[in-house]
Amino acid sequence: MSVIYILLTISILVAIVFFVAFIVAVRNGQFDDSYTPSVRMLFEDELIKEKPKKTILTKKD
Amino acid sequence: MSKSTCFHCGLDANSSKITFDDKEFCCNGCKTVYEIFSLNDLTCYYDLQTAPGATPKDIEGKYNFLENTKIIEQLLEFDDGDTQIITLYIPHIHCSSCIWILENLNKLNPFISASIVNFGKKTVRITYNQESLSLKNLVALLSSIGYEPFISLDDYSVGKKHVDRSLIYKLGVAGFAFGNVMFLSFPEYFQVGEFWLEQFKPMFRWLMFAFSVPVVFYSAQDYFISAFKGLRSKILNIDVPIALGAAVLFSRSTFEIISNTGSGFFDSLTGLIFFLLLGKLFQQKTYSFLSFERDYKSYFPIGITKISSDNSEASIQVYDIEKGDRLLIRNEELIPVDCILIKGQARIDYSFVTGESKIVSKQSGDKLFAGGKQMDGSIEVDVLKSVEQSYLTQLWSNDVFKKDKELSFTNITNSISKQFTITILLIALVATSFWLFTDSSKALNVFTSVLIIACPCAIALAAPFTFGNVLRILGKKKFYLKNASVIEQLAKIDTIIFDKTGTITANKETTIGYEGLTLSNAEEALLKSTLRGSNHPLSRSLYALLDQNNIVTLDTYEEFLGQGIEAKYKDQHIKIGSASFVGHNNNTATLNTAVHVSTNNQYKGKFTFYNKYRKGLSQLFNTLKKEYDLVILSGDNAGELENLTKLLPTKTKLLFNQKPEDKLEYIKYHQSEGAKVLMIGDGLNDAGALAQSNVGIAISENVNVFSPACDAILDASKFNQLYNYIKVSKSAIKIIKWSFGLSFIYNIIGLYFAVTGQLEPVVAAILMPLSSISIVVFTTVATNVLGRKIPS
């Protein structure tokens, strides 16, 4: 049953890893702006749509 | 004719007839921006949002100060020779298209390597190479696509600002510990008595202790500090019982695990701190894109052009201006110091200072005051005083700007916490002494139990969550408050003071009345045609008012600055302008602005410009008068007196010709008589009054750009909702009082367990979070219901 020591160590280690990740994220400013990133990730779809459009435009000219 | 709107900015494009790529534009500026975008494959800009753009402004010479290396150095955030990083504030950022285009700047200019938008703050952080792209050109590029940055004296110390993230760290630590401690105390909750769990109990307990230490000494430190400060100045604030509760929780729990008598209350302790910090975070909602602390620095330019004795021009920093310097003020530039006009036609717009949008003409030798904006060509001036000594900036040296309003005000939580703390200590003492006689072994146990369970976390949570939520709801309705305590202050006011110009009158709109002989059709056509050529603001408003007539091409046209216009068409001759200019001599000078007209040397009449009052003004005043004393403090002359008395309830006090200091003194005097004053203003001249009042609200037609230092910013379009907003803050106070009642019920139940000496950790673990969570739920639901009642 001393396996519980290992289990406990692991679970707390995992928790600490997440905690450190959180601190690092805050330090890097991830929580400074909570709106822009949510919009930014949608742009990637738009960009792909843009490419075929571009060829049409150049043909037109 | 079908209505067409500009593809770029959404403005009316009917009259412009500019089409490009089958799209209509309102002006060439918008067309150019579209061209830039379509050439660079950036038309996706228009897919994200319809008509997202702004018309680019002509900025010729405006950013010359960005050539001064000393100024650039101060603005840059990072500079290693090859790479420069700058954060620019761009008020126009308003939609996802803006984010998209600003983050694709590198497609417009290859020397920009990266740009990141912060939507909340309306800033863009640009990484570029200065050797290939100067800062001035970068700003010009941004302006050319309609995203003109706003650079003011305030930015001069940029880069040194540091972001305070301590609350989120503290919350993170507390949340992390709370979760782990809960998990580790599971065996304790169920008292399973299983062999192995019994074996590991001490280890679990010491782990819980280890998790709690940073929570108490780091996360909760603000409560201890605040409680200590409060006690030192002999005030029993809400943090005293919280700190007491946390300290007792921690020491009793530590004692229990050392003596191996129990598992302690570490779960309740960490949970308590976690919820309290969560409440703080909720209350900390800020409108980071708005600035509530504005002083003259936010308005003033950083650099100005100085003319040296050898006639060469150089950009210098505003603080470097010395008495006797000669400055060049360009069109649309703000005058940063008090000075004397030397050369050029000065037409000054003092609207930043007075709120009055009328343009004043000045002659050579006249004194100009800091804060005025030159509107017509460039002028040369001689400096009379340095920036700090100028009239406008002197206003900020008044003591009211140094005083912190929040400190002089006891909030609702602190006002009840005094009785609360005393009551709890009494209960604890009585219960302890009772147990000392009956069963002395339990006495200490009971004493600590009372302090633990009575810890007023639910009370401490009620206000932050209610106010935090109301703050958010009002923000959605375009009423932005600086912080939560403003709501409380707003609920208490009994006197409302309004500034006139710009506050109860719409800034840019006027109504025009005509008095005199009727004009013939030909005369009207001539009048219209003549006005068409003039750029004077009065001509523009008058032109817009007149009916569309056949525009004729004038034979002669001459504009006399500061006087009027003269024009000829065939045998007709017209003069428009001041009374003396058109040859009309009447001594009954009116206080209102008027434009006089004469044709063929015969005086015809005058167009008088009246202020246009905001929609719903009369109705708002009539609702407000039932509960509040209403006053109008105006810096203007009494020209509108008659108009105002007709419009407003008879009880309203009207005071004219009030200087900024007069307004401040007026409020101070009434406060000394016990009045709780709400001041509503807009110009810099109201700044002193706004700071002195209990609550100062700035009305703004563009909330992003100009508003003086204040406690709240109200969007001008929501002016008629003022009464509803005050009512909401009153209801918020009611909600908090209800929450207090609710948390007292929990406390009484908890105290029963504590006083009878049967407070088990599991009871505390259920009761304490339950009270906190139910308060949070109650206030959130109640405030949302309240928010729904506000008409939009």
Side-chain angles (χ1 to χ4, degrees):
Chain A
M1 204 44 195
S2 19
V3 73
I4 206 159
Y5 284 113
I6 302 169
L7 284 176
L8 212 61
T9 325
I10 293 173
S11 74
I12 286 176
L13 271 180
V14 170
I16 287 173
V17 166
F18 275 98
F19 182 66
V20 170
F22 168 76
I23 297 288
V24 171
V26 175
R27 183 147 298 166
N28 290 340
Q30 264 201 33
F31 291 85
D32 292 356
D33 181 6
S34 52
Y35 181 79
T36 329
S38 66
V39 177
R40 192 178 292 140
M41 64 178 256
L42 299 172
F43 293 153
E44 277 153 39
D45 299 338
E46 305 286 340
L47 280 176
I48 298 162
K49 227 169 66 187
E50 177 60 12
K51 270 170 195 155
K53 230 185 188 174
K54 176 168 110 189
T55 48
I56 300 167
L57 254 177
T58 39
K59 267 177 203 162
K60 233 195 213 168
D61 287 335
Chain B
M1 200 168 89
S2 68
K3 282 255 170 198
S4 64
T5 53
C6 177
F7 185 68
H8 177 71
C9 68
L11 287 179
D12 178 37
N14 281 321
S15 50
S16 62
K17 312 238 162 24
I18 299 171
T19 46
F20 179 76
D21 250 6
D22 300 330
K23 289 164 183 89
E24 301 198 35
F25 296 94
C26 66
C27 61
N28 275 314
C30 288
K31 195 192 100 185
T32 317
V33 182
Y34 174 78
E35 271 181 282
I36 296 174
F37 289 164
S38 63
L39 275 177
N40 290 287
D41 298 328
L42 292 169
T43 44
C44 184
Y45 181 65
Y46 301 100
D47 300 341
L48 294 164
Q49 206 99 44
T50 45
T55 319
K57 284 201 193 88
D58 187 26
I59 58 149
E60 194 66 44
K62 195 172 167 189
Y63 289 100
N64 277 352
F65 64 87
L66 292 178
E67 284 163 349
N68 184 327
T69 42
K70 205 177 126 201
I71 295 177
I72 295 180
E73 224 170 84
Q74 288 293 321
L75 291 174
L76 286 179
E77 210 167 277
F78 172 85
D79 180 10
D80 76 343
D82 290 331
T83 321
Q84 278 74 26
I85 299 178
I86 189 168
T87 302
L88 292 168
Y89 171 66
I90 299 180
H92 181 64
I93 294 180
H94 71 289
C95 66
S96 42
S97 279
C98 303
I99 302 174
W100 186 81
I101 197 76
L102 288 172
E103 299 207 333
N104 279 299
L105 278 180
N106 54 342
K107 289 193 185 162
L108 285 178
N109 190 312
F111 300 113
I112 297 172
S113 44
S115 46
I116 294 164
V117 174
N118 184 326
F119 189 82
K121 290 200 173 102
K122 304 204 181 211
T123 57
V124 58
R125 192 162 180 265
I126 301 172
T127 315
Y128 68 105
N129 182 315
Q130 199 162 56
E131 263 169 54
S132 321
L133 175 73
S134 73
L135 183 58
K136 191 184 157 192
N137 289 340
L138 175 69
V139 169
L141 171 74
L142 285 169
S143 305
S144 73
I145 58 170
Y147 289 96
E148 189 186 356
F150 184 71
I151 304 173
S152 69
L153 205 51
D154 241 2
D155 297 307
Y156 198 58
S157 54
V158 94
K160 281 136 225 149
K161 274 179 212 155
H162 117 122
V163 201
D164 184 23
R165 301 190 184 112
S166 67
L167 181 59
I168 205 156
Y169 286 129
K170 283 174 186 157
L171 185 69
V173 170
F176 168 75
F178 177 45
N180 280 293
V181 171
M182 288 260 281
F183 152 74
L184 290 168
S185 40
F186 245 71
E188 309 275 1
Y189 289 161
F190 299 110
Q191 301 281 321
V192 273
E194 196 263 344
F195 175 72
W196 283 107
L197 284 179
E198 286 293 317
Q199 283 288 292
F200 292 114
K201 230 176 197 171
M203 197 188 74
F204 284 162
R205 287 175 177 178
W206 282 108
L207 271 172
M208 288 197 274
F209 172 76
F211 279 121
S212 307
V213 171
V215 175
V216 173
F217 290 97
Y218 174 66
S219 300
Q221 58 176 334
D222 288 346
Y223 293 98
F224 289 110
I225 293 168
S226 152
F228 175 71
K229 275 187 186 158
L231 285 178
R232 208 175 43 184
S233 48
K234 299 198 175 87
I235 300 166
L236 278 177
N237 57 18
I238 191 74
D239 293 327
V240 173
I242 291 177
L244 195 66
V248 169
L249 264 170
F250 184 69
S251 33
R252 175 166 165 183
S253 309
T254 315
F255 174 76
E256 277 187 12
I257 59 162
I258 291 173
S259 62
N260 206 13
T261 46
S263 63
F265 301 86
F266 289 121
D267 48 349
S268 309
L269 171 65
T270 47
L272 162 77
I273 306 290
F274 175 71
F275 283 121
L276 285 173
L277 291 172
L278 204 62
K280 252 192 188 173
L281 186 80
F282 210 72
Q283 193 173 17
Q284 217 190 30
K285 161 96 195 163
T286 53
Y287 298 98
S288 41
F289 65 97
L290 296 174
S291 172
F292 292 96
E293 308 293 348
R294 281 199 172 129
D295 58 11
Y296 65 94
K297 282 188 195 141
S298 329
Y299 301 82
F300 279 20
I302 298 180
I304 198 87
T305 316
K306 180 181 163 181
I307 304 173
S308 321
S309 45
D310 57 347
N311 262 337
S312 62
E313 290 176 11
S315 286
I316 61 162
Q317 216 271 317
V318 163
Y319 285 128
D320 294 340
I321 299 176
E322 279 165 26
K323 197 181 161 190
D325 281 354
R326 176 155 301 186
L327 303 177
L328 175 73
I329 313 280
R330 289 196 174 78
N331 193 12
E332 300 257 312
E333 246 174 14
L334 208 68
I335 302 167
V337 288
D338 293 352
C339 51
I340 282 187
L341 180 65
I342 299 296
K343 216 160 95 186
Q345 270 296 332
R347 285 146 66 71
I348 312 291
D349 172 6
Y350 278 119
S351 62
F352 294 151
V353 187
T354 59
E356 176 88 50
S357 64
K358 234 175 270 169
I359 288 178
V360 192
S361 292
K362 292 279 175 187
Q363 310 301 325
S364 175
D366 282 352
K367 212 173 156 190
L368 304 179
F369 293 100
K373 195 178 187 187
Q374 164 65 2
M375 297 305 287
D376 190 14
S378 42
I379 51 170
E380 280 179 33
V381 295
D382 266 357
V383 177
L384 285 177
K385 283 171 184 164
S386 68
V387 173
E388 281 91 350
Q389 287 168 342
S390 289
Y391 170 71
L392 183 67
T393 33
Q394 284 278 298
L395 187 64
W396 263 271
S397 55
N398 195 305
D399 281 340
V400 284
F401 290 99
K402 294 185 188 91
K403 167 179 90 177
D404 190 349
K405 270 189 206 175
E406 247 178 283
L407 291 180
S408 55
F409 167 74
T410 329
N411 63 35
I412 187 165
T413 328
N414 280 339
S415 62
I416 66 144
S417 78
K418 193 179 167 187
Q419 285 94 333
F420 181 84
T421 316
I422 294 168
T423 318
I424 292 307
L425 285 174
L426 275 179
I427 293 174
L429 287 176
V430 170
T432 315
S433 32
F434 170 79
W435 282 103
L436 269 178
F437 293 111
T438 31
D439 182 356
S440 57
S441 67
K442 272 191 174 173
L444 193 66
N445 193 350
V446 168
F447 181 70
T448 48
S449 299
V450 172
L451 292 183
I452 288 170
I453 205 71
C455 185
C457 59
I459 294 178
L461 282 173
F465 275 94
T466 313
F467 288 146
N469 215 8
V470 170
L471 205 65
R472 206 176 42 95
I473 291 167
L474 289 179
K476 264 192 208 155
K477 310 268 181 194
K478 298 188 174 174
F479 184 40
Y480 309 96
L481 302 166
K482 182 162 88 180
N483 55 40
S485 74
V486 179
I487 301 173
E488 239 184 294
Q489 304 245 37
L490 199 55
K492 284 194 182 155
I493 51 139
D494 51 25
T495 308
I496 307 181
I497 298 179
F498 293 86
D499 167 53
K500 189 179 75 77
T501 319
T503 304
I504 58 173
T505 64
N507 224 347
K508 298 263 143 51
E509 290 170 67
T510 42
T511 45
I512 303 168
Y514 178 72
E515 284 169 56
L517 308 166
T518 327
L519 297 170
S520 69
N521 282 345
E523 281 168 337
E524 245 183 70
L526 181 63
L527 177 66
K528 179 97 180 170
S529 312
T530 313
L531 288 171
R532 191 166 172 251
S534 167
N535 246 337
H536 192 284
L538 292 181
S539 312
R540 301 314 307 165
S541 345
L542 195 53
Y543 179 76
L545 174 99
L546 294 172
D547 295 329
Q548 190 73 43
N549 275 305
N550 296 326
I551 299 292
V552 289
T553 318
L554 301 164
D555 296 336
T556 62
Y557 172 88
E558 205 170 349
E559 195 161 354
F560 299 90
L561 279 172
Q563 299 185 69
I565 354 170
E566 193 173 358
K568 234 183 213 159
Y569 174 67
K570 285 183 186 160
D571 57 338
Q572 281 201 316
H573 172 247
I574 193 166
K575 266 182 160 185
I576 308 166
S578 63
S580 57
F581 177 72
V582 301
H584 177 60
N585 295 317
N586 67 335
N587 293 324
T588 54
T590 51
L591 296 162
N592 289 307
T593 321
V595 171
H596 300 262
V597 181
S598 75
T599 55
N600 298 330
N601 290 324
Q602 190 203 352
Y603 182 72
K604 285 289 180 186
K606 60 175 182 183
F607 289 93
T608 317
F609 290 73
Y610 299 100
N611 283 318
K612 188 166 177 187
Y613 292 95
R614 291 197 191 282
K615 248 203 277 173
L617 177 76
S618 195
Q619 203 189 350
L620 175 74
F621 269 65
N622 279 318
T623 356
L624 286 174
K625 76 167 182 197
K626 289 170 203 146
E627 289 166 56
Y628 303 99
D629 289 332
L630 302 174
V631 182
I632 290 194
L633 277 185
S634 174
D636 295 345
N637 57 46
E640 291 274 327
L641 178 67
E642 204 182 318
N643 230 342
L644 272 172
T645 37
K646 257 186 260 162
L647 208 62
L648 302 179
T650 40
K651 254 175 64 191
T652 317
K653 263 184 242 164
L654 299 165
L655 294 160
F656 294 98
N657 296 317
Q658 300 286 310
K659 284 204 242 22
E661 301 84 31
D662 299 340
K663 293 188 180 182
L664 202 159
E665 285 305 321
Y666 183 87
I667 292 176
K668 211 183 243 174
Y669 172 72
H670 280 264
Q671 280 175 330
S672 70
E673 297 208 318
K676 299 267 186 290
V677 178
L678 166 65
M679 170 80 203
I680 304 169
D682 74 321
L684 284 187
N685 63 337
D686 300 321
L690 290 171
Q692 175 63 40
S693 60
N694 297 68
V695 181
I697 301 178
I699 294 261
S700 178
E701 265 157 43
N702 182 355
V703 290
N704 295 321
V705 190
F706 288 113
S707 56
C710 57
D711 301 305
I713 299 175
L714 176 62
D715 192 290
S717 63
K718 296 284 177 185
F719 178 70
N720 51 5
Q721 294 288 327
L722 189 71
Y723 178 67
N724 288 326
Y725 294 157
I726 299 175
K727 227 166 53 182
V728 166
S729 42
K730 284 192 170 170
S731 314
I733 302 288
K734 255 181 232 153
I735 294 177
I736 291 173
K737 288 188 176 154
W738 276 101
S739 317
F740 284 172
L742 200 64
S743 80
F744 280 130
I745 295 172
Y746 284 115
N747 266 322
I748 289 163
I749 298 170
L751 279 173
Y752 165 77
F753 285 103
V755 171
T756 51
Q758 28 177 343
L759 184 74
E760 300 295 323
V762 70
V763 176
I766 293 169
L767 207 58
M768 291 178 75
L770 185 71
S771 66
S772 308
I773 291 168
S774 60
I775 291 294
V776 171
V777 171
F778 172 73
T779 57
T780 314
V781 170
T783 44
N784 280 339
V785 169
L786 187 65
R788 226 164 274 150
K789 279 189 200 153
I790 312 175
S792 52

